[in-house]
Structure formats: C-alpha cells, structure tokens
Amino acid sequence: MRGDRRQIQTAVVGGADSDEPLTLPLEAIELDAFRHRHGHDTFWCGLLLGGCGGQLTTKLYTDLL
C-alpha cells in the first residue's frame, strides 16, 4: 500500500485519538520555530477530526528557481 502524500495543515498532538489540535506551519520560514516549540511532540492525522489516524511529519519545502 502506498503512503498518503496529501499535505495536511491541521493535526493533533500525541496520538491519533488526541483531542488537542494544532495548525502546522504553512510557510517555510515558520518551520524552525515550530519544530523548536514542539521538539518532543508527535503529530497525527486526528481521528476526531475525520482523519486517517496516521502519524505525520514536518517537511521543509523550498522552491528552487
């Protein structure tokens, strides 16, 4: 089965059943600060938000022109 490659903006912290939502950063410049604030957290596609329950990771995208 191929992994889900959708870009997610809303996640939950701690586990798929968590009720603690947070918004993932939309801009690359915000990512370092977000990672610093949430260095020990895990992010999930929350079941209570209608998600798949899979674990999420942050990824820095940059445009190379």
Side-chain angles (χ1 to χ4, degrees):
M1 179 176 166
R2 217 171 71 186
D4 187 348
R5 307 299 289 175
R6 291 178 289 180
Q7 294 182 13
I8 311 283
Q9 294 176 3
T10 305
V12 294
V13 177
D17 292 322
S18 172
D19 62 355
E20 186 179 342
L22 71 133
T23 302
L24 300 173
L26 299 176
E27 301 295 328
I29 196 167
E30 301 169 340
L31 186 57
D32 284 338
F34 179 85
R35 286 177 172 167
H36 182 71
R37 278 192 315 274
H38 297 283
H40 297 289
D41 293 331
T42 57
F43 312 109
W44 300 81
C45 185
L47 296 171
L48 297 175
L49 297 174
C52 68
Q55 187 169 5
L56 306 173
T57 60
T58 59
K59 183 173 181 178
L60 177 61
Y61 286 92
T62 58
D63 293 330
L64 300 175
L65 299 176

